[in-house]
């Protein structure tokens, strides 16, 4: 048989083959794969055309035209089959059970909210903002100088013991300076009094750290500090601010009681109790039958603290107070174990 016949027969065969292959493909991907087998660089047609060299020159034009026509047919059949397959898929989708995209998920997405301690902090801040205090922040990793020394803690004060305080080393801290996780928010007093000039009325909330761990004491907890510095500030102003706060936070009629107490950075110092919010002062389990609940420490800023901040203790006076946010929140929500605040159990948190 001559080369022209051989190639013509191969092309006939090719024409039948690819049509059958395209019909057999049932997915878009399978169809594309078949097209590659037929027309690709290593495909059937390329194989056949390798014989072209043996075809006499007078037949080549005819064979060439035939090849081009076949290529066009392949493209046409491919497009037709592709459209048919897509149509089939669409029909299948349309006849399948309806899929409702707008239907709500069976498990509703849980809505989060602020942590009860964050809620309590912002409620506390809001009251003091109304009273004219400006909210500021301080760092949780603090200098010993700000947390203890400038607040007039003597060097051997028990609070500075390893048992009470988390001492940490910090890269880049001033040389010779000791650093710690602040044990109270009073460090903010020093930060602000060294960089602002009076008058100032500031509040600050945030995390503080102590080596404590029981049902009413957590190693990390929250405090709020408030302080006011100006000329002729008196203990009377302190009492007015704190009793107004107590009535706003716990409700009208809440009474306050100031008991003398000691903190190195105030003189005089006091602890403040509020009439028990649970029994109204009658006496109950929560107030240990005293009718009173302790909520904070406070006092008039010690002259030594002013000196440490380069403020004139002859000209200025001021008061400061610090309260435990966790304690306030525990009383507010009737929670008996402080650790619940930090376990992040959604069943607990969802109740607020
Ligand atoms: C202070 O920390 C003083 N800086 C408060 C102060 C500020 C006095 C300004 C005077 C002027 P104290 O150590 O008592 O004081 O702590 C204050 C409150 O923090 C406590 O009443 C208590 O409610 C809370 N507290 C203390 N330790 C813990 C703890 N481990 N976990 C939770 N709350 C705590």
């Amino acid at each position: 048989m001559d080369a022209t016949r051989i190639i013509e027969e191969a092309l006939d065969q090719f024409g039948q083959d690819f049509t059958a292959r395209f019909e057999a493909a049932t997915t878009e991907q399978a169809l594309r794969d078949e097209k590659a087998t037929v027309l690709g660089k290593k495909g059937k047609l390329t194989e056949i055309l390798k014989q072209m060299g043996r075809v006499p020159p007078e037949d080549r034009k005819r064979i060439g035209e035939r090849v081009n026509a076949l290529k066009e047919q392949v493209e046409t059949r491919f497009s037709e089959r592709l459209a048919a397959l897509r149509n089939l898929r669409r029909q299948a989708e349309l006849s399948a059970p309806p899929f409702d995209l707008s239907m709500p998920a069976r498990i509703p997405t849980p809505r989060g909210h602020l942590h009860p301690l964050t809620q309590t902090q912002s409620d506390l801040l809001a009251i003091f903002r109304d009273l004219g205090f400006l909210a500021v922040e301080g760092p949780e990793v603090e200098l010993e100088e700000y947390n203890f020394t400038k607040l007039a803690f003597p060097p051997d004060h028990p609070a500075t013991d390893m048992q009470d305080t988390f001492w940490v080393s910090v890269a880049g801290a001033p040389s010779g300076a000791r650093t710690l996780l602040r044990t109270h928010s009073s460090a903010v007093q020093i930060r602000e009094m060294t960089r602002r000039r009076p008058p100032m009325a500031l509040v600050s909330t945030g995390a503080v750290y102590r080596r404590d761990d029981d049902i009413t004491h957590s190693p990390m907890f929250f405090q709020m500090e408030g302080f006011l510095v100006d000329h002729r500030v008196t203990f009377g102003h302190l009492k007015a601010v704190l009793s107004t706060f107590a009535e706003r936070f716990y409700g009208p009629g809440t009474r306050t009681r100031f008991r003398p107490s000691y903190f190195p950075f105030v003189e005089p110092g006091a602890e403040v109790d509020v009439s028990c919010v649970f029994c109204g002062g009658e006496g109950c389990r929560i107030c240990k039958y005293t009718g009173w609940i302790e909520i904070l420490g406070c006092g008039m800023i010690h002259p030594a603290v002013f000196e440490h901040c380069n403020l004139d203790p002859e000209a200025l006076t001021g008061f400061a107070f610090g309260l435990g946010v966790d304690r306030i929140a525990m009383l507010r929500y009737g929670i008996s174990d402080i650790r619940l605040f930090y376990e992040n159990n959604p069943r607990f948190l969802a109740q607020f």
Side-chain angles (χ1 to χ4, degrees):
M1 212 179 345
D2 63 30
T4 308
R5 280 278 307 284
I6 293 175
I7 209 162
E8 272 174 341
E9 271 180 30
L11 289 173
D12 287 342
Q13 190 59 42
F14 173 83
Q16 284 166 23
D17 268 352
F18 87 80
T19 315
R21 278 168 169 275
F22 283 7
E23 286 308 318
T26 52
T27 65
E28 218 178 284
Q29 189 53 50
L31 181 64
R32 288 184 194 285
D33 292 347
E34 286 302 348
K35 190 183 174 194
T37 321
V38 171
L39 277 196
K41 269 196 185 147
K42 291 186 183 152
K44 290 242 151 50
L45 196 59
T46 316
E47 195 61 36
I48 297 170
L49 293 179
K50 282 185 185 158
Q51 315 285 327
M52 257 320 232
R54 294 210 230 121
V55 172
E58 66 275 18
D59 292 336
R60 282 192 191 161
K61 187 164 180 264
R62 186 160 47 85
I63 304 279
E65 281 166 356
R66 177 91 199 278
V67 168
N68 286 339
L70 274 170
K71 280 186 182 165
E72 258 178 56
Q73 270 179 43
V74 170
E75 289 298 345
T76 315
R77 287 299 301 133
F78 173 79
S79 311
E80 286 167 354
R81 183 67 185 144
L82 188 63
L85 285 177
R86 284 181 175 166
N87 194 28
L88 279 175
R89 202 180 61 195
R90 184 80 189 117
Q91 289 309 319
E93 278 170 356
L94 290 175
S95 56
F99 183 60
D100 182 2
L101 285 173
S102 66
M103 198 165 80
R106 255 173 248 255
I107 307 162
T109 313
R111 283 277 287 276
H113 59 65
L114 294 178
H115 190 279
L117 288 177
T118 313
Q119 293 181 34
T120 304
Q121 281 191 106
S122 34
D123 294 346
L124 292 169
L125 283 174
I127 294 175
F128 286 101
R129 272 205 210 102
D130 281 355
L131 294 174
F133 287 74
L134 175 75
V136 294
E137 281 188 57
E140 291 174 24
V141 176
E142 188 52 280
L143 295 166
E144 174 184 27
E145 193 191 352
Y146 289 3
N147 192 85
F148 290 131
T149 323
K150 289 196 161 170
L151 284 164
F153 280 79
D156 55 354
H157 192 281
T160 64
D161 280 1
M162 287 300 283
Q163 285 83 355
D164 288 332
T165 299
F166 294 103
W167 295 94
V168 291
S169 26
V170 176
S175 80
R178 291 211 296 170
T179 43
L180 55 125
L181 297 179
R182 64 177 176 184
T183 61
H184 55 172
S185 49
S186 299
V188 176
Q189 287 184 39
I190 305 298
R191 292 201 158 259
E192 297 300 329
M193 283 198 265
T194 46
R195 68 191 198 98
R196 288 176 198 264
R197 296 295 92 185
M200 63 181 110
L202 305 171
V203 269
S204 187
T205 57
V208 305
Y209 303 80
R210 291 182 196 179
R211 286 207 174 195
D212 275 345
D213 200 3
D214 62 39
I215 63 163
T216 52
H217 293 83
S218 160
M220 185 199 88
F221 60 104
F222 289 84
Q223 281 194 340
M224 186 175 88
E225 193 81 7
F227 53 101
L228 183 147
V229 182
D230 202 348
H231 298 278
R232 290 182 290 280
V233 178
T234 69
F235 204 92
H237 294 121
L238 172 60
K239 285 183 95 169
V241 164
L242 291 181
S243 48
T244 306
F245 154 71
E247 283 210 87
R248 293 257 179 105
F249 192 78
Y250 291 112
T254 306
R255 285 163 293 127
T256 40
R257 174 171 90 165
F258 288 70
R259 278 181 293 107
S261 183
Y262 174 75
F263 300 94
F265 41 93
V266 287
E267 180 58 34
E271 263 164 344
V272 174
D273 303 332
V274 291
S275 49
C276 179
V277 281
F278 296 97
C279 63
E282 303 265 296
C284 67
R285 200 175 55 83
I286 294 172
C287 63
K288 301 200 180 83
Y289 302 96
T290 62
W292 296 97
I293 290 178
E294 182 202 314
I295 56 158
L296 58 85
C298 64
M300 301 304 291
I301 296 172
H302 199 289
V305 174
F306 283 139
E307 270 171 23
H308 296 156
C309 298
N310 291 323
L311 294 175
D312 180 1
E314 297 297 327
L316 296 164
T317 48
F319 63 72
F321 55 88
L323 53 82
V325 175
D326 303 62
R327 185 167 170 73
I328 301 258
M330 284 171 82
L331 289 171
R332 180 187 211 190
Y333 300 119
I335 292 160
S336 53
D337 188 337
I338 193 171
R339 290 171 290 205
L340 287 165
F341 285 136
Y342 299 102
E343 283 166 359
N344 287 332
N345 182 341
R347 283 185 298 158
F348 170 74
L349 296 175
Q351 296 173 39
F352 298 93

